[in-house]
Amino acid sequence: MPDLSIVSVETTILDVPLIRPHKFATTSMDAQPLLLVAVTTGDGVTGYGEGVVPGGPWWGGESVETMQAVVERYMTPVLVGRRVDDITGIMADIERVVAAARFAKAAVDVALHDAWARCLGVPVHTLLGGAFRTSVDVTWALGSAPVEEIIAEAQEKIETRRHFSFKLKMGALDPATDTERVLRVTEALAGQAGVRVDVNARWDRLTALRHLPELADGGVELIEQPTPGEQLEVLAELNALLPIPVMADESVHTPHDALEIARRGAADVLAVKTTKCGGLRRSREVVAVARAAGLACHGATSIEGPIGTAASLHFACADPGIDFGTELFGPLLFSAELLQEPLHYADGRLHLPTGPGLGVELNMDAVARWTRK
């Protein structure tokens, strides 16, 4: 019988450079910090999880530094000595010790799934019920360059068959200027690809009422989180007004959040990030609520590296509730490859790797190179 007992939990912070700066509504980054969490069993099997937030603590209050402290000081004592197949019990006990901290919990949850699946010699999706598909659509996030460069970037992705759907960030510029910029891109790509926008919860109600109808009339296919996450009544008002789908992101972290959005009719689509939801188990609960309410779910990203992206891919391939595509493009933004064999992107899709666990193997030389000193 394999020894499934957890003998060690180790954390490592990496700073991985990007191919270009990635801009959000309030910040931008030219490197993505990652927290690797390694869970090792008595038989020497190691599973990896990834703690990552989109651009730092501005989004959800966590950072790789806070995650590392919480995992090492408060979660590791719960883990060591337990079995990697005791995920439900371990995560329930962690919940009693640590409130919120869902990004940190996600790193531990994924590491446990990876280790357990490797011990069994099966892929992670087997633990989630099995993969009913082997690839998912991937939307590409366009940069913050001048409009002509953004259009050229999108057209290059279309011509090389890398992506057929695009997202633009909004919220950092004057709203009228921002709207005009997006409409120019949408017009240029009309008939070639869909364009959606993400305001990162940075507009107030009146700004949203003024500019979102312009975006919808101009051909934008989806509006993501235009107003603050806690203002569900405003999101519901906008969703009722607009003829295109509204997607909730900052408004939904938990199954109860999903229930409230459904009750209020606040969104048509939920952005499900395995990171912000607290891991694979909790993400399944969020999706279950959405499916019961007739809401679509999008496999969203926190700009994960290859470990976090592989985990979200296994989840998306195992859960039919992820039925509104994905944006699991994180590793494509990295200028450094962390895997021995990169994840496979082709024809606008990300393809499920084979092999035990997450199906990917870290290049430990690359990990060492980008480890924070």
Side-chain angles (χ1 to χ4, degrees), residues 279-299:
L280 304 176
R281 290 174 60 263
R282 295 290 280 179
S283 295
R284 294 184 79 179
E285 295 173 8
V286 171
V287 173
V289 173
R291 291 191 74 187
L295 300 180
C297 290
H298 174 68

Side-chain angles (χ1 to χ4, degrees), residues 208-269:
L209 287 170
R210 183 177 300 119
H211 295 289
L212 292 186
E214 293 180 63
L215 292 168
D217 291 344
V220 169
E221 66 178 11
L222 174 141
I223 306 291
E224 181 177 347
Q225 198 69 50
T227 48
E230 69 276 9
Q231 295 179 7
L232 293 186
E233 68 284 352
V234 175
L235 201 62
E237 179 184 6
L238 296 170
N239 193 35
L241 170 72
L242 295 170
I244 60 174
V246 169
M247 181 158 71
D249 183 10
E250 282 86 344
S251 291
V252 54
H253 301 256
T254 68
H256 181 73
D257 294 338
L259 180 61
E260 280 299 302
I261 288 168
R263 282 173 171 165
R264 296 169 181 257
D268 304 298
V269 187

Side-chain angles (χ1 to χ4, degrees), residues 12-314:
T12 307
I13 292 178
L14 284 66
D15 293 293
V16 188
L18 304 182
I19 57 173
R20 58 162 166 76
H22 189 70
K23 189 172 182 61
F24 302 93
T26 64
T27 188
S28 65
M29 62 181 187
D30 53 19
Q32 174 67 310
L34 306 175
L35 177 71
L36 282 182
V37 175
V39 171
T40 301
T41 71
D43 279 343
V45 174
T46 298
Y48 288 96
E50 193 180 272
V52 56
V53 291
W58 71 275
W59 197 92
E62 292 182 70
S63 68
V64 291
E65 296 85 6
T66 65
M67 285 186 270
Q68 184 177 50
V70 168
V71 170
E72 290 185 351
R73 175 65 180 85
Y74 297 100
M75 296 188 190
T76 294
V78 178
L79 289 160
V80 173
R82 304 283 282 274
R83 289 165 53 101
V84 290
D85 60 351
D86 185 20
I87 297 177
T88 300
I90 288 172
M91 298 310 294
D93 288 342
I94 285 176
E95 203 67 35
R96 297 186 185 96
V97 177
V98 180
R102 295 182 189 93
F103 288 86
K105 289 172 182 173
V108 170
D109 170 280
V110 169
L112 289 170
H113 278 87
D114 188 33
W116 183 21
R118 288 177 184 275
C119 287
L120 296 175
V122 301
V124 162
H125 64 71
T126 297
L127 306 182
L128 305 176
F132 76 100
R133 58 186 163 197
T134 58
S135 65
V136 292
D137 290 331
V138 179
T139 293
W140 177 250
L142 293 164
S144 56
V147 169
E148 293 75 13
E149 294 181 29
I150 290 174
I151 294 170
E153 179 183 353
Q155 290 176 335
E156 187 271 335
K157 297 292 184 185
I158 296 169
E159 290 167 5
T160 57
R161 300 190 59 79
R162 296 300 294 272
H163 301 279
F164 306 107
S165 172
F166 300 95
K167 182 166 89 170
L168 284 163
K169 292 287 188 179
M170 300 185 73
L173 304 176
D174 170 77
T177 302
D178 223 359
T179 299
E180 191 271 338
R181 174 184 69 97
V182 168
L183 292 178
R184 287 177 61 192
V185 175
T186 304
E187 181 180 7
L189 297 181
Q192 300 179 69
V195 176
R196 54 192 64 176
V197 298
D198 179 7
V199 191
N200 277 137
R202 285 315 188 254
W203 282 358
D204 58 30
R205 174 178 173 273
L206 290 179
T207 301
L209 287 170
R210 183 177 300 119
H211 295 289
L212 292 186
E214 293 180 63
L215 292 168
D217 291 344
V220 169
E221 66 178 11
L222 174 141
I223 306 291
E224 181 177 347
Q225 198 69 50
T227 48
E230 69 276 9
Q231 295 179 7
L232 293 186
E233 68 284 352
V234 175
L235 201 62
E237 179 184 6
L238 296 170
N239 193 35
L241 170 72
L242 295 170
I244 60 174
V246 169
M247 181 158 71
D249 183 10
E250 282 86 344
S251 291
V252 54
H253 301 256
T254 68
H256 181 73
D257 294 338
L259 180 61
E260 280 299 302
I261 288 168
R263 282 173 171 165
R264 296 169 181 257
D268 304 298
V269 187
L270 303 186
V272 179
K273 299 172 180 172
T274 58
T275 47
K276 72 170 181 180
C277 293
L280 304 176
R281 290 174 60 263
R282 295 290 280 179
S283 295
R284 294 184 79 179
E285 295 173 8
V286 171
V287 173
V289 173
R291 291 191 74 187
L295 300 180
C297 290
H298 174 68
T301 183
S302 297
I303 320 297
E304 294 95 342
I307 297 296
T309 299
S312 293
L313 176 59
H314 278 264

